[in-house]
Structure formats: C-alpha cells, structure tokens
Amino acid sequence: MMEKIQRFGGAMFTPVLLFSFAGIMVSIAIVLTNPLLVGTLATKGTLWYNFWKIVENGSWTVFNNMELLFVIGLPIGLAKTANARAVMEAVVTYLTFNYFINTMLQLSGSSFGVNFKQAAGGDSGLKLIAGIKTLDTGIIGAIFISALVVYLHNRYFEKKLPDFLGIFQGSSYVVVLGFFLMLPVALLTCFIWPKVQLGIGSLQALLATSGVVGVWIYTFLERILIPTGLHHFVYTPFVFGPAVVEGGITQYWFAHLNEFSHSTKALKTLFPEGGFALHGNSKVFGAPGIAAAFYFTARPENRKKVLSMLIPVTLTAVLSGITEPLEFTFLFLSPPLFAIHAVLAATLAATLYTFGVVGDMGGGLIDLLTRNWIPVFSNHAGMVVTHIVIGLIFTLIWFVVFKFLIEKFNIMTPGRDLDQEADIKLYSKQDYKDKQAGKAPASQSQAQSPNEQYRKQAAIYLEAVGGKDNVEKVNNCATRLRLTVKDPSLVGSDAAFKAGGAHGVVRKGNALQVIVGLDVPQVKEQFEELMKING
C-alpha cells in the first residue's frame, strides 16, 4: 500500500514541474508593468506595456488549466502500458464528466442547491473548464477522475473483445466504460460537491485563523514526510488546491501580486494564508548551515574533498529547491538528525510568519527572488529585509545545532570516517532498516552525448535491479527513479547504482527509489526503452 501511495504521489508531481517557470514569467511580467519600478514605460497602451501583458497572459496558461494538467499527469506516471493513449482516455472522460455536470445543473440546478445562472468564478462554486461551465471541483476532482480512468485503462485496455466488436477494443473500450461510469459519478458530484464546498469554506476559515501553530504543523509535516514521498499530499492541497484559498496559494498569489505590490498595507494583513507556503525557506537558509556543519566537522585532511562535493549540492538546494542530494546524505546515517531538521524548518516558517513574512515560497532562491522579493520590494522592502535577517539567523542556528549534534553523537557525516574512499563517494552506510542514501561525485564522462549517457545510466540501473524480469513498475518524481521489483533480494548494492551516477538508494520492501537527480525523466525514458528491447 505504501508503494502505491508513493507512486501516486510521484505521478502527482509530474504537472507540478511546470509551475516554476510559469510562475517566474508571470512575476517578471508583473514587475515590468509596475510603474513604481519601470516608470512611464509601464503606462497602459505603450508598446512595452502591451508586450509584457501578452507575455503575462501567456504565462497564465499553466495556472488557468491546472485541472487538465493533473488529468494528463496521472496517466503519464500511473498507466502500466500505452501511457499516451491513457492520457487521451483521461482527457476525454474528464471532459465528458464535466459536460454531464453542466447539463444536470442546467436542468435541475436548484435541486442540487446550485444557482447555475451565476457567472463562473468568485463565490459561485462554478468554473469554466475547457469552455464548459461546471462545478469547481478543482484538482481534487481532476485527480479523482483521472485515477478512475487509469484504473480502467490498466484493467481493460488490453482486453480482447469478440471480433465483431473489435472496433471498440483498446482506448475505445476504456472510453466507453468511462462514459457510462461518469453518469453516476457526475450525478453524485452534483449532490455531494456543493456540500463539500461549504465544508472547504469552513476549513479555509479555520486554517487561515490557525496562525503560527498551523504554519508550524504544516511545514513540519511537509519536511518530515519527504523520506516517504508522502509530502506531495501535504503541500498540494495548500499550494495548488483549495485548502486555504480557492485555486491554491500559488494561483491566488499571482492573481493578486499586482495588487499586493502596489499596496502599502502589510502583506500578512492582505494575505494571511500565505503563511502556508513558506516551506521553501528551509531550502534557501537551512542548506548552507547544514553544509557548513558537514565541512567544519570533517577531518581537516578531508575538508577539501568534502567542500568540492558540498558546493554543487548546496547550490542546487539553495537556487532550485532540490534538497534531496544534501538531505539524503545524512538522513539514513541518523534519522533523528533529519527530524531536528524538520523541526528547524517548521520553526523558521513559524518565526517568519510571526514577523509578517508571507508569500509563495515553496522553491529555491530563484523563485524567492522572482516571485516574491523583487515584485513586492517597492512597498514591502521592510518585509524583505526582515525575511533575509531572520533567514540568516536560522542559517547560523542550523550550523550550530548540526555541528553540536554531529560531534556530540559522533555521527559519521561526510569526511569524518577514516575510510578515505567513503569520503570520496560521500555515501552513507546502512543504518535505518533496509534504507541507504549518500552522495556520489557529480562529475560524469563528457565524451558521450547526453542521450548516450542517459542510456548508459539506465542500463546500469536495469542490471542493478536484477534485470527486466525483476521490474514490475517504473515511475519517477522530480529527482528519483521509483521502481517496484518482484524480488528485492535480486537488487544489487548501492555501489552498483553508484556506477551509473546515482546519488543514493532508498529501499522499502519491494519499493525502490534510485536518487538520480534532475535528469531522471530522461533516464526513466531510456530505462523503459531498454526494458522493451530486452523483452
């Protein structure tokens, strides 16, 4: 069950990867049409203003179509075969679902407690999805319908029908089944979802008034669940879903960013819900403190090697928000150390919120600059300065706490082990059940083309997991190749994966996570190609 949940969470992350660039472009466009920053250039009607308005509206594509992106993303990650066909089936079935709701509400909206004559948007509980006026079920509805279609696809796509019904085989059969399934599902949605919307409204009010305690609990759960892969289920309803504001914090933040940047009122007053998107600060300010602790606790003769390995992973964490290569270096050496890290992350977020810092801060420094600091600086410079000061204080706290705990409990972080080879590999030892993690040198041979390198990596991983016959499922998230194997005893050691450039391996029963890095989509594609060839 855990493996299935992790796989589902990884599939949910597929569309999330698109939001970072879209958010940066929206922010840049808003900044460059702000008269306080660029003067008369930003006057409405000028060529400058018109150009950046076009860019801004194009950048909203991802945010305005989140539901469709999640409908598409799940089959990519969860369909066992013919992923592209599964995507088509999911989109058609999801649109059918919304057309059914549209007609039911047109005919009997009052019976469901819905005033369908209202314009979509606002507090109406209605939304236009692909031009269809329907109930605003958000990404919850999208994920639910897409999951149903993936189930139908995995079970019935390859079903052999009688010859005279052969035209209905494959995708047609899945869509037919989906069509009839959507009738009762749409009817139930019309009955149930308006009441769910009332409940969500109450939940939003509760969370928005939970203050510092709510922010602390949210951020702690988001960090502490990273090893399990379940953190996607924590932040997604807040950042992209309706947990605290309709449409999610990210969409709401960008929709009101122009208003926020022009207002002199405190951002915490304007957008108190923005406290539930401060979890990225631990990546920006925590990573340097942890890296410094690793460096200063390493043996003097090993520090130069440790530094050369820490610099790239720390920069990756700070700039892009991808923390796994750094966190997995110490996670399985000492799980309590990771728990302390989660506590510090939550405390940083809660402290920032106490001092009035809010926004959309789930990524690294690039997102922090482009989506928060620069757009609001003209009227909220005090908040930005406060943010930086508190963040740097916590960088020092991370350093002091980690250095003290590493030395106090003699934790074998990189460079402390007498084994020089272990220092070079930056690999952890097995210390927590069957899980292991570490950091290998990032350099790879440049003599081969990128595609050849991905294929070589995939071949090494395929051999390390015991070959094609031992692989049951293949998936990936932002940095990890997620595999389900039939016989864990056939899986090789971490050294076997390290030969392909893996940063570490996480094992739990039949579920295996190979920490590949940001190239994981390309490696996964080559992995699947090799499985077909070997088959």
Side-chain angles (χ1 to χ4, degrees):
M1 178 59 68
M2 178 63 71
E3 181 272 327
K4 291 179 180 178
I5 293 174
Q6 288 179 332
R7 193 162 180 258
F8 192 85
M12 283 174 56
F13 195 78
T14 303
V16 173
L17 293 170
L18 304 176
F19 288 97
S20 183
F21 173 74
I24 289 172
M25 292 310 300
V26 170
S27 303
I28 291 173
I30 288 174
V31 167
L32 295 178
T33 54
N34 187 340
L36 296 175
L37 296 174
V38 298
T40 56
L41 274 175
T43 304
K44 288 185 177 180
T46 63
L47 182 62
W48 176 273
Y49 179 89
N50 291 343
F51 173 78
W52 286 109
K53 269 298 172 185
I54 292 170
V55 171
E56 179 187 343
N57 287 336
S59 302
W60 275 100
T61 301
V62 170
F63 301 107
N64 290 339
N65 295 279
M66 281 199 295
E67 293 86 355
L68 286 173
L69 290 175
F70 277 94
V71 167
I72 292 168
L74 255 66
I76 292 174
L78 295 178
K80 294 178 181 177
T81 57
N83 303 67
R85 290 180 177 273
V87 168
M88 179 186 68
E89 296 155 12
V91 171
V92 171
T93 304
Y94 180 66
L95 295 178
T96 302
F97 164 75
N98 283 299
Y99 272 118
F100 283 158
I101 290 177
N102 172 277
T103 308
M104 290 174 184
L105 293 180
Q106 281 189 59
L107 298 174
S108 305
S110 58
S111 302
F112 303 112
V114 177
N115 180 6
F116 197 64
K117 294 180 180 179
Q118 298 179 88
D123 298 325
S124 66
L126 303 170
K127 185 173 184 177
L128 287 176
I129 295 178
I132 309 165
K133 187 178 179 183
T134 182
L135 282 174
D136 184 5
T137 57
I139 64 168
I140 295 174
I143 290 171
F144 177 70
I145 299 303
S146 190
L148 286 177
V149 177
V150 169
Y151 170 79
L152 293 174
H153 175 87
N154 287 339
R155 183 159 186 175
Y156 297 108
F157 178 75
E158 296 180 340
K159 184 176 178 60
K160 180 77 171 83
L161 298 179
D163 290 343
F164 70 93
L165 293 176
I167 193 174
F168 296 111
Q169 284 185 171
S171 290
S172 296
Y173 189 47
V174 174
V175 170
V176 168
L177 294 174
F179 181 93
F180 290 108
L181 178 60
M182 288 306 106
L183 280 167
V185 170
L187 182 61
L188 287 172
T189 302
C190 289
F191 276 116
I192 297 172
W193 192 253
K195 299 175 179 61
V196 172
Q197 286 177 321
L198 292 175
I200 289 174
S202 300
L203 178 63
Q204 289 172 347
L206 176 64
L207 289 172
T209 57
S210 64
V212 175
V213 174
V215 170
W216 193 97
I217 293 172
Y218 162 77
T219 309
F220 175 76
L221 291 174
E222 191 276 334
R223 283 288 95 186
I224 200 68
L225 289 174
I226 280 180
T228 67
L230 301 183
H231 58 298
H232 300 302
F233 293 95
V234 175
Y235 73 76
T236 299
F238 286 81
V239 179
F240 303 115
V244 286
V245 286
E246 290 300 325
I249 289 173
T250 294
Q251 188 174 36
Y252 188 94
W253 173 256
F254 287 127
H256 296 81
L257 188 54
N258 218 351
E259 170 193 337
F260 293 158
S261 65
H262 284 76
S263 176
T264 56
K265 291 183 180 179
L267 283 176
K268 186 177 179 181
T269 301
L270 294 170
F271 187 40
E273 299 86 353
F276 290 95
L278 300 177
H279 50 280
N281 285 283
S282 64
K283 306 170 185 179
V284 176
F285 298 107
I290 295 169
F294 286 176
Y295 175 79
F296 284 103
T297 55
R299 298 169 65 84
E301 64 270 23
N302 294 332
R303 286 180 180 174
K304 187 175 291 187
K305 299 175 188 175
V306 171
L307 183 64
S308 68
M309 298 173 193
L310 287 175
I311 287 176
V313 296
T314 304
L315 285 175
T316 299
V318 172
L319 294 176
S320 68
I322 302 297
T323 57
E324 287 175 332
L326 183 64
E327 289 174 340
F328 275 82
T329 300
F330 67 87
L331 173 59
F332 298 106
L333 285 172
S334 177
L337 199 60
F338 188 82
I340 295 296
H341 171 56
V343 168
L344 289 174
T347 305
L348 169 59
T351 303
L352 289 171
Y353 186 67
T354 300
F355 283 87
V357 177
V358 296
D360 180 31
M361 306 173 185
L365 185 60
I366 294 173
D367 283 353
L368 201 58
L369 282 168
T370 58
R371 296 160 66 163
N372 296 272
W373 289 350
I374 294 175
V376 305
F377 189 81
S378 57
N379 281 318
H380 302 283
M383 187 204 78
V384 174
V385 173
T386 300
H387 188 173
I388 294 171
V389 170
I390 293 174
L392 292 176
I393 290 172
F394 267 83
T395 298
L396 181 61
I397 292 173
W398 249 289
F399 168 70
V400 172
V401 170
F402 265 61
K403 185 174 183 294
F404 170 78
L405 292 174
I406 290 168
E407 293 177 338
K408 175 72 174 177
F409 297 101
N410 196 29
I411 300 171
M412 288 295 107
T413 48
R416 289 176 59 77
D417 200 304
L418 292 172
D419 181 357
Q420 296 300 311
E421 185 66 19
D423 293 339
I424 295 172
K425 294 177 181 175
L426 204 67
Y427 256 67
S428 354
K429 300 177 181 178
Q430 185 171 340
D431 192 56
Y432 185 60
K433 294 185 180 179
D434 296 325
K435 301 177 184 177
Q436 302 176 31
K439 176 70 182 71
S443 60
Q444 298 289 335
S445 172
Q446 302 301 315
Q448 51 194 341
S449 70
N451 194 59
E452 289 172 337
Q453 181 168 313
Y454 299 144
R455 198 169 189 83
K456 180 180 177 182
Q457 285 181 264
I460 292 172
Y461 300 152
L462 185 57
E463 181 180 354
V465 297
K468 181 247 182 193
D469 292 337
N470 196 38
V471 178
E472 189 173 339
K473 296 175 185 175
V474 183
N475 197 8
N476 72 280
C477 65
T479 57
R480 290 179 255 184
L481 183 66
R482 296 169 181 255
L483 305 170
T484 303
V485 296
K486 297 173 183 176
D487 185 355
S489 67
L490 298 179
V491 178
S493 66
D494 279 10
F497 292 94
K498 175 254 179 183
H503 301 303
V505 182
V506 182
R507 309 165 191 262
K508 189 169 182 68
N510 293 65
L512 189 73
Q513 298 178 23
V514 184
I515 306 170
V516 176
L518 296 175
D519 294 333
V520 69
Q522 292 83 4
V523 173
K524 180 205 171 193
E525 183 178 354
Q526 293 298 325
F527 190 94
E528 290 177 323
E529 285 297 319
L530 287 171
M531 286 184 63
K532 293 176 185 177
I533 294 172
N534 294 340

